[in-house]
Amino acid sequence: MSTPERKTQKPARRYGRIYLIVVTSLVVFLPMVISTSVALARVGGGHSYGGGGSRGGGSGGGGGGGGGGDCAAELVCVLFQLLFQLTVDHPVIGIPIDLFVIALIVGGIVITRNSRSAAPPIVYSSQRRGEEAPARMAPVGEDAFEALRHYDPNFSQILFTDFTYALFARVQEARGRKELPEYAPYLAPAVIKGLQGMSGPDLRGVTGVIVGASRIVSVSNPERPKILIVVEFETNYTEEFGNGRSTTWYTKEQWTFVRNRDILSRPPDKITAIHCPKCGGALALTADGACQHCGVKIVGGDFDWFVTRVNVLTRENRGPLLTQDVPEVGTDWPTIYQPHFNAVRQRFLAMNPNFAWPRLEGRVRHIFLELQAAWTERRWEKARPYVSDSFFQMQLYWMNAYQKQHLRNVLKDVQIERVEPVKITMDAFHDALTFRIFASMIDFTADEQNHVVSGNPNSPRRFSEYWTFIRHRGVNSSDKDNVHCPNCGAPLKVSMAGVCEYCHGKITDGTFDWVLSRIEQDESYRG
Ligand SMILES: [Zn+2]
Ligand SMILES: [Zn+2]
């Protein structure tokens, strides 16, 4: 090494020491900031399907009240900028520090989570080392699914979510009944073993399984013959034990689903029936693990999605933190339009000649207002006719969480500023239309004594969100208004299963009209 080079390294080394101090500060602050679950005000507030975790991400602040949180977040930002600069200017020093910091952050999260959990994180995996680590997988965006649809034209993000949601609940219930081996066509042996060992021999049942949020964390490269999708769930369930004891858990866990790329996904009416992936018969295995109906032993993702890994990140008795003030993020960010949105819109209109924007926009506004009201009044059943089954269930989780903590999230003076279409997708079964909605409202959380615990009851909060509505592909739009059944026209009255009490038509799956399928916040919406 030449002298000049050594010379230039000297200041870098000095920087190195400074940055070690920076790193140490990061170690102190980051787990603090990250571990603070963020408040979840309003409908779909950051716990949306497809959204990016809690509202405000990790920047919600570490302090109890006042501006402490912002300060910590800012400090972290500054530290990150410094580190970034170092990496650019002196990659030899910067990159190892980056790696070190990443390791510390990951370590910090694990440590923090450990200390908060009543039980340690549990990882069940049958994934072979280096098979395809999530880190090498593509970030999630519609383009990954478009590419996948090239091989599996039936693939639908909406249906995939419904499937993972159904499988999660069925697997938990089967765990309680000690019937997990029946699920071998969907779960790797190591996953079954891990889940069986979770709660001891006294376990008699798992009930009340609710998925409060589920989002796709990553999708592997669709150009490879095997597809991996990692899904993160936020869930709530109750374990019942032999002596009459029961424990309610809130968990956050990641499940890895693997499947051969070139399989055709099941149609909507079959996707949530967790049956033999080969023949569609009810799950029942022979002694050697083959299907009793078709005789095929399913050992991987040859016929359907197969879980190779369950990673329980947190499992605790305490519900989500609902009392923290979180600054609104991203309201002024530029709108994310689908690439070539105008062309897609023209194509959609050509395929749906009786589609009318004003009618749908009217429905979007109506649903928006109805949902805020149903949420505030804690009469979520009022929202039932307007939202998909998964969305309805997910929101119930949050309503229950508020109720259990004796809290009330009040939304008032709701004003819709603007409703803007930004994306249209058409998969084999559904049309999906996403709007960015700008609105403002008073949004605060109060306890039973009407003490305000977060938010501001006197000043409205301006925000924007991306709302996605779905309907069956090519359905002739209903000409009914929004307070009558879109099928039979009777006054709107639906069962909890989303069925009209008059015509018995299922009106919450998009057969007759658009229903809300997900809400995403600015900071998590990726187009
Ligand atoms: Zn079979
Ligand atoms: Zn009806």
Side-chain angles (χ1 to χ4, degrees):
M1 212 182 278
S2 70
T3 316
E5 270 172 340
R6 249 184 247 143
K7 259 181 196 159
T8 58
Q9 272 186 14
K10 269 183 193 161
R13 251 188 252 128
R14 215 173 48 227
Y15 278 123
R17 272 199 296 277
I18 294 168
Y19 282 99
L20 269 176
I21 297 165
V22 168
V23 167
T24 314
S25 320
L26 280 174
V27 175
V28 174
F29 281 107
L30 265 178
M32 226 173 84
V33 172
I34 289 164
S35 72
T36 322
S37 295
V38 179
L40 302 149
R42 77 178 181 247
V43 189
H47 41 75
S48 50
Y49 142 23
S54 297
R55 205 138 88 77
S59 59
D70 292 338
C71 181
E74 257 167 46
L75 178 61
V76 170
C77 272
V78 170
L79 293 175
F80 266 120
Q81 274 165 9
L82 290 170
L83 189 54
F84 178 75
Q85 202 58 48
L86 175 74
T87 306
V88 172
D89 295 346
H90 309 283
V92 179
I93 310 281
I95 290 168
I97 292 181
D98 289 342
L99 293 174
F100 181 60
V101 169
I102 290 165
L104 288 170
I105 291 170
V106 171
I109 292 169
V110 170
I111 289 163
T112 321
R113 281 183 169 148
N114 270 344
S115 64
R116 288 171 66 209
S117 302
I122 310 153
V123 180
Y124 315 130
S125 175
S126 69
Q127 220 172 308
R128 270 174 287 130
R129 218 168 264 270
E131 194 178 356
E132 178 145 23
R136 282 165 54 203
M137 295 166 76
V140 188
E142 190 56 37
D143 44 346
F145 300 121
E146 278 301 336
L148 181 51
R149 269 197 279 280
H150 207 68
Y151 302 96
D152 170 9
N154 274 8
F155 182 83
S156 153
Q157 200 189 340
I158 298 157
L159 294 177
F160 176 75
T161 299
D162 287 350
F163 162 77
T164 59
Y165 193 100
L167 185 69
F168 182 88
R170 293 277 295 276
V171 163
Q172 291 300 339
E173 286 159 9
R175 181 168 74 83
R177 293 192 305 270
K178 306 227 172 11
E179 288 174 3
L180 276 177
E182 293 284 310
Y183 283 77
Y186 288 98
L187 307 175
V191 170
I192 292 181
K193 201 159 169 266
L195 289 171
Q196 281 172 330
M198 219 168 149
S199 304
D202 244 12
L203 184 69
R204 292 291 180 273
V206 176
T207 58
V209 184
I210 299 185
V211 177
S214 111
R215 74 186 178 100
I216 295 173
V217 177
S218 54
V219 179
S220 67
N221 182 356
E223 302 311 323
R224 292 182 176 202
K226 258 197 189 327
I227 297 285
L228 269 84
I229 300 184
V230 178
V231 178
E232 187 168 294
F233 299 109
E234 248 176 279
T235 84
N236 174 219
Y237 56 76
T238 300
E239 288 181 342
E240 279 154 17
F241 296 92
N243 50 12
R245 194 165 52 86
S246 69
T247 312
T248 294
W249 295 106
Y250 290 87
T251 80
K252 198 179 267 191
E253 43 199 278
Q254 291 188 348
W255 289 35
T256 303
F257 293 84
V258 177
R259 201 197 71 178
N260 287 358
R261 178 192 61 195
D262 301 340
I263 298 168
L264 205 57
S265 288
R266 269 164 234 290
D269 55 330
K270 300 262 171 28
I271 199 137
T272 56
I274 309 296
H275 285 166
C276 167
K278 173 78 171 70
C279 71
L283 279 185
L285 302 182
T286 61
D288 64 346
C291 170
Q292 283 186 9
H293 311 286
C294 65
V296 174
K297 186 173 178 177
I298 288 139
V299 289
D302 288 348
F303 302 101
D304 207 339
W305 295 102
F306 187 77
V307 182
T308 56
R309 188 169 192 264
V310 168
N311 182 6
V312 180
L313 304 171
T314 58
R315 195 166 103 113
E316 40 193 41
N317 301 122
R318 203 180 63 186
L321 189 57
L322 303 170
T323 54
Q324 209 174 16
D325 280 317
V326 183
E328 199 63 43
V329 176
T331 310
D332 298 321
W333 292 357
T335 298
I336 300 174
Y337 292 97
Q338 174 181 26
H340 316 294
F341 176 60
N342 276 329
V344 179
R345 181 157 65 170
Q346 292 311 320
R347 195 156 64 89
F348 174 78
L349 291 174
M351 290 166 79
N352 297 275
N354 73 343
F355 175 85
W357 284 108
R359 197 227 165 230
L360 178 57
E361 190 183 324
R363 184 167 173 80
V364 168
R365 287 172 176 267
H366 176 78
I367 293 177
F368 187 89
L369 296 173
E370 283 295 295
L371 258 57
Q372 314 300 351
W375 176 266
T376 288
E377 293 167 28
R378 290 182 291 180
R379 289 176 56 209
W380 193 234
E381 66 279 7
K382 277 180 72 177
R384 189 58 286 228
Y386 304 117
V387 302
S388 73
D389 294 357
S390 302
F391 184 84
F392 185 75
Q393 289 298 326
M394 286 185 188
Q395 297 303 312
L396 267 185
Y397 166 96
W398 297 99
M399 297 213 102
N400 293 342
Y402 275 99
Q403 205 167 355
K404 273 188 188 152
Q405 297 182 33
H406 308 287
L407 295 171
R408 197 157 60 82
N409 181 210
V410 180
L411 311 174
K412 285 198 306 195
D413 302 345
V414 185
Q415 304 285 340
I416 301 173
E417 276 177 28
R418 202 160 87 233
V419 174
E420 202 178 343
V422 298
K423 180 180 165 185
I424 299 173
T425 55
M426 294 167 268
D427 66 35
F429 309 105
H430 296 95
D431 297 325
L433 239 155
T434 305
F435 293 88
R436 188 178 189 193
I437 301 179
F438 292 87
S440 69
M441 62 192 175
I442 286 181
D443 173 355
F444 67 93
T445 298
D447 64 15
E448 277 181 329
Q449 286 76 43
N450 282 328
H451 294 137
V452 175
V453 292
S454 70
N456 186 340
N458 302 312
S459 157
R461 180 177 175 128
R462 197 172 165 265
F463 64 95
S464 85
E465 292 173 336
Y466 290 85
W467 286 42
T468 298
F469 294 79
I470 60 165
R471 68 164 190 196
H472 279 192
R473 178 125 194 216
V475 161
N476 266 346
S477 272
S478 168
D479 55 359
K480 310 287 186 302
D481 64 21
N482 296 307
V483 294
H484 290 86
C485 168
N487 184 32
C488 71
L492 207 48
K493 214 168 173 201
V494 295
S495 70
M496 288 311 253
V499 170
C500 169
E501 289 189 2
Y502 299 95
C503 66
H504 304 292
K506 172 90 176 168
I507 67 170
T508 54
D509 65 355
T511 307
F512 304 110
D513 209 342
W514 298 90
V515 292
L516 177 64
S517 161
R518 64 177 184 267
I519 299 175
E520 288 158 285
Q521 302 298 318
D522 293 306
E523 60 269 41
S524 59
Y525 185 73
R526 292 191 186 91

